[in-house]
Amino acid sequence: MATSGIADSPITILVDDDATVRDALEELLNSVGIDTMSFSSGQELLDANLPDRPGCLVLDVRMPGLSGLDLQHLLAAKGILTPIVFLTGHGDIAMSVQAMKAGAVDFLTKPVRDQTFLDAVSTAIANDVARRAASTVSRKNLAVYETLTPREREVLRLVVSGAMNKQIASDLGISEITVKLHRSNMMKKMNARSISHLFNMWQSLPVDSR
């Protein structure tokens, strides 16, 4: 395992019961500057205290105990959304379809070309970086959304639905002047530069909070 000491540097977590495979993949990934952690089983991974860093998981499919596909489902159930690349010597079309439907980034069969493997890992890491960035934006937007009054939230919902002030006033049973006041306050609190910016902020909010 290589450790760069930088909290936001990418890391690839390997799970394979074959120590030779783990060592070879670690050496390859470390050679291009990607830190690694490795485990010999899915249970070891579940029991571990994993770093909060962008990265991906590389899972073998057939292992003693939990299979890679079982591990994929367990991680999803725990809300662990780290992208997964499957690398296996025992894959078939049915397995690959199942893995991809469950959200895997790629399903590679051993032996695999170094560059093909690195490309898949790079794509998975990029996906995780983007996911984390979107999650950060969502949390920030939710924090300001929660400062809105109930009426301002109602106005926001109608504004992003495309309603004009006159329609909003009719729907809420208030005057247009009052709508404009709530709308102005809402835009300021949300730090929205435009309606399109407001719409993007609204879209980033968790569905159950709207």
Side-chain angles (χ1 to χ4, degrees), residues 75-200:
L75 292 171
K78 289 176 175 288
I80 298 174
L81 304 176
T82 305
I84 293 173
V85 173
F86 281 99
L87 179 63
T88 179
H90 307 284
D92 60 28
I93 294 176
M95 282 183 182
S96 64
V97 169
Q98 182 180 348
M100 300 300 281
K101 280 186 175 180
V105 173
D106 215 332
F107 193 97
L108 307 175
T109 302
K110 304 172 187 174
V112 62
R113 291 177 60 251
D114 288 354
Q115 193 57 54
T116 299
F117 174 70
L118 291 174
D119 287 347
V121 167
S122 295
T123 297
I125 290 174
N127 288 353
D128 198 43
V129 170
R131 178 188 65 81
R132 285 167 171 266
S135 178
T136 298
V137 169
S138 178
R139 288 195 299 272
K140 289 180 179 179
N141 289 341
L142 180 60
V144 293
Y145 175 75
E146 289 177 341
T147 68
L148 301 181
T149 65
R151 179 66 85 189
E152 289 165 351
R153 294 185 189 188
E154 289 178 324
V155 170
L156 188 159
R157 283 191 287 270
L158 290 167
V159 168
V160 297
S161 73
M164 304 299 287
N165 288 344
K166 184 176 182 179
Q167 182 62 49
I168 295 172
S170 175
D171 288 351
L172 299 182
I174 57 179
S175 70
E176 280 192 65
I177 293 176
T178 303
V179 169
K180 289 178 182 179
L181 178 63
H182 287 310
R183 182 168 180 159
S184 175
N185 289 339
M186 176 269 293
M187 292 290 285
K188 288 177 183 176
K189 288 182 181 180
M190 292 295 292
N191 297 314
R193 300 184 298 272
S194 64
I195 297 302
S196 61
H197 184 208
L198 181 69
F199 180 79
N200 289 336

